[in-house]
Amino acid sequence: MIAQRPLSFAALFGAVLALSACSPKAEEQSTQVAASSDGSAAASSGSIKLLNVSYDVARDFYKEYNPLFIKAYQAKNPGAEISIQQSHGGSSKQALAVANGLQADVATMNQTSDIELLEKKGLVKAEWRTRLPDNAVPFTGTTVFLVRKGNPKQIRDWADLAKDNLQIVLANPKTSGNGRYAFLGAFGYALKTNNGDEAKAKEFTGKLLKNTPVLENGGRAATTTFTQRNIGDVLVTFENEANHVSRNLAPGQFEIVYPSYTILSESPVAVVDSVAGKKGSQAAAEEYLKYLWSEPAQELAAKFYMRPSNPAVLAKHKSEFPEMETFSPNQVFGSWEEIMKKYFADGGLFDQLAQKQ
C-alpha cells in the first residue's frame, strides 16, 4: 500500500563521524553555503537569492528543479532577478545547521522531525503543514535494497539481511533520515513478522546492525561506499536513490530488491520564516515551495523516481513504481518526537543495539 573488530562498534562509529566532519565534501559544502548566508536583505539589491538546505540524495532533483522554477518565476515576474543555492547533507545534520544559524530560506527535508526542530526554535511558523498541500509533503518514497548484478547473496527480503557473512551499507540513523527510515523499516518488518513481539524485533535488528560495520554520515555517502568503493553486499536506501544508481549512474551493474513490507518515507518542506522575513525573500521562498506541486515539478519528481503526490502524475508513471505494502512510521511507532526519543536519542534503542555488536 503506497499512499507509501579490531575496533569496537562505538569507536568505529565515532571515527566515522570525525572523518565526515572534516571530509572534502563537508568543506566544499561550507564554501557553497557561505556565499549566501550573510543574511542581507534581498530587496535592497533588487535581486533575490534563496538558499535551499536539503538532504543529500535530493541534490540531483533540486539541481534540475531550480532552473525550472526560475523560468516559471521570471515568466510570472518579468525582469525579476532570482538565484538559488543548494546545501546538501544528512537531513538531521542539515536541520541542526539551520537551527544553529545557517541562513536557509527554505528547508526541504526527508523527515518531519527535522522541520519540527526548526518550528521549536521559532524559525518556522507553527502552521507550516497547512500552508501547502498534502501536509507540506510534495512527494514520498520507500526504503528498498540495492544489490550487485545477479544478486549473488540472494537477498529477497529484510530477513535475509540478518544472514551470516553478509555486509550491509547503511547511512547513520543518528545523523541521516535515510538511515533512520532503514532502521525503522527493519524494526517494523520484524514486529509484523513476529506478531508484535518487541524482544524478537530487537534481536533481528541487532543482527542486522552486526552486519553493518560502518555507518556513513548520509545516504549519498553510503551510495558512494557501495557503488564506487565496492564495499558491501547490499545498500539499504531510498527508492529514488536506488533507481538513480541502477538506471542512470551505473546501468547494468546493480539491481533493486523491493521488500515485502517496508516503510513509507515523506519529504516535508517549509519556509524558514525568520530568515526569509529578514532577507526580504518570504514571497519568493513561498513560491519556490508551492511550485513543487506544479505538474512540471511533479513530473520531474517522477523522473527522479520519487512518488508524486499528484495522483494523476503518479498514475502516468505506474510502471515505474511497483505497488508495495508499506507502513507509516507514525502509525507504528508514534509521533516523530516519540520516535526520536525512544529510538535515536543518546542511549536510545539504536545505541543499545549497536553497542551490543
Side-chain angles (χ1 to χ4, degrees):
M1 173 186 64
I2 288 287
Q4 270 194 329
R5 284 215 147 64
L7 286 174
S8 69
F9 188 98
L12 190 56
F13 170 72
V16 170
L17 285 183
L19 285 171
S20 68
C22 60
S23 68
K25 280 189 177 180
E27 292 173 5
E28 178 183 348
Q29 177 173 301
S30 295
T31 301
Q32 178 188 36
V33 168
S36 62
S37 59
D38 61 3
S40 58
S44 65
S45 63
S47 64
I48 297 171
K49 291 182 179 180
L50 299 181
L51 174 60
N52 174 12
V53 174
S54 188
Y55 60 106
D56 55 358
V57 303
R59 71 181 73 231
D60 302 297
F61 169 79
Y62 283 107
K63 186 177 179 180
E64 290 200 22
Y65 173 76
N66 290 341
L68 192 69
F69 166 74
I70 289 172
K71 183 178 179 180
Y73 184 84
Q74 290 178 329
K76 186 177 178 181
N77 302 277
E81 293 183 21
I82 184 168
S83 61
I84 301 156
Q85 291 181 306
Q86 298 176 221
S87 170
H88 295 276
S91 184
S92 293
K93 288 180 70 177
Q94 293 289 84
L96 283 172
V98 176
N100 289 329
L102 179 60
Q103 297 292 288
D105 299 91
V106 296
T108 59
M109 301 302 187
N110 62 23
Q111 188 179 306
T112 300
S113 64
D114 293 327
I115 307 293
E116 289 174 342
L117 170 67
L118 304 183
E119 179 187 344
K120 289 176 182 177
K121 293 285 187 177
L123 304 177
V124 170
K125 291 181 180 178
E127 66 273 15
W128 65 271
R129 292 176 185 81
T130 60
R131 290 160 67 181
L132 293 164
D134 302 304
N135 289 317
V137 176
F139 31 75
T140 62
T142 62
T143 293
V144 300
F145 312 145
L146 189 68
V147 298
R148 304 192 186 280
K149 184 178 180 180
N151 195 2
K153 293 298 181 78
Q154 294 299 296
I155 295 166
R156 305 296 180 194
D157 212 340
W158 289 102
D160 297 318
L161 301 189
K163 290 178 179 177
D164 293 334
N165 301 315
L166 184 76
Q167 190 175 61
I168 301 166
V169 178
L170 189 69
N172 183 356
K174 298 284 281 190
T175 59
S176 165
N178 192 320
R180 209 165 285 144
Y181 279 113
F183 178 90
L184 294 174
F187 202 83
Y189 167 86
L191 283 174
K192 183 186 179 186
T193 55
N194 289 287
N195 298 313
D197 189 324
E198 191 162 303
K200 290 183 178 179
K202 290 178 181 178
E203 180 183 2
F204 167 79
T205 310
K207 289 180 179 178
L208 186 151
L209 290 176
K210 185 177 181 180
N211 287 341
T212 311
V214 177
L215 296 165
E216 295 294 353
N217 66 326
R220 183 53 58 88
T223 297
T224 299
T225 293
F226 183 69
T227 61
Q228 297 183 24
R229 296 173 61 196
N230 268 341
I231 294 174
D233 302 299
V234 55
L235 171 68
V236 183
T237 190
F238 287 138
E239 177 184 30
N240 66 298
E241 180 77 344
N243 272 287
H244 183 55
V245 171
S246 63
R247 299 190 190 207
N248 300 331
L249 297 184
Q253 297 182 36
F254 301 95
E255 299 174 12
I256 299 175
V257 174
Y258 288 86
S260 62
Y261 182 71
T262 193
I263 192 165
L264 173 72
S265 59
E266 297 181 321
S267 301
V269 299
V271 174
V272 184
D273 299 288
S274 64
V275 174
K278 180 177 65 176
K279 291 173 61 178
S281 60
Q282 182 83 28
E286 291 176 358
E287 287 297 319
Y288 180 79
L289 295 185
K290 287 178 182 177
Y291 194 71
L292 287 168
W293 278 264
S294 69
E295 186 171 347
Q298 291 282 291
E299 286 285 353
L300 185 64
K303 174 185 173 181
F304 282 95
Y305 312 106
M306 296 181 288
R307 298 182 182 233
S309 291
N310 184 321
V313 176
L314 180 60
K316 284 175 59 178
H317 298 275
K318 187 176 181 180
S319 62
E320 303 285 338
F321 300 109
E323 289 190 14
M324 301 174 66
E325 184 180 5
T326 67
F327 66 91
S328 162
N330 301 125
Q331 291 176 347
V332 174
F333 301 110
S335 69
W336 273 110
E337 184 175 4
E338 293 169 325
I339 291 171
M340 295 300 293
K341 183 176 180 179
K342 179 177 180 180
Y343 294 95
F344 304 114
D346 290 343
L349 184 60
F350 170 76
D351 283 348
Q352 294 169 29
L353 296 178
Q355 288 167 6
K356 291 180 180 179
Q357 308 314 316

